[in-house]
Amino acid sequence: MHVTSKTSNVCSTKIDFDLIDGKVYNVTFTDGCNGNLKAIGKLVEGMDREKLIAMLKGNTCGSNFTSCADQLARAVEQATEA
């Protein structure tokens, strides 16, 4: 299943990824810190959704209550609940 998620309160504006058999693939962020967000996509490639959520959910950026990584975890979590 392909998922597109609009982000909020972070520099990136959108996250796209594929969720196949409980694993996350092809993560791409639109806008934001290009190098860091490409790295996140590479690091989570093929990762089990539950592991990704446990590892990234709640991660913050500076004084912000969320981050691009947290937004990815939330999007994966919402996609699995749908």
Side-chain angles (χ1 to χ4, degrees):
M1 155 176 60
H2 182 79
V3 177
T4 298
S5 178
K6 185 168 173 52
T7 60
S8 60
N9 300 307
V10 294
C11 298
S12 67
T13 56
K14 180 177 74 161
I15 306 170
D16 286 282
F17 61 92
D18 296 317
L19 191 57
I20 303 167
D21 295 328
K23 298 190 183 297
V24 179
Y25 298 94
N26 306 314
V27 175
T28 58
F29 291 82
T30 302
D31 300 320
C33 304
N34 189 37
N36 290 333
L37 298 176
K38 282 182 189 175
I40 290 172
K42 289 178 181 181
L43 291 169
V44 302
E45 181 70 16
M47 185 177 284
D48 180 77
R49 67 181 178 218
E50 296 304 323
K51 182 176 180 181
L52 184 149
I53 294 165
M55 184 171 55
L56 299 180
K57 190 171 179 185
N59 187 57
T60 59
C61 183
S63 62
N64 203 348
F65 66 91
T66 189
S67 67
C68 293
D70 178 60
Q71 293 285 298
L72 173 59
R74 292 173 188 227
V76 170
E77 187 173 53
Q78 288 175 356
T80 58
E81 292 172 355

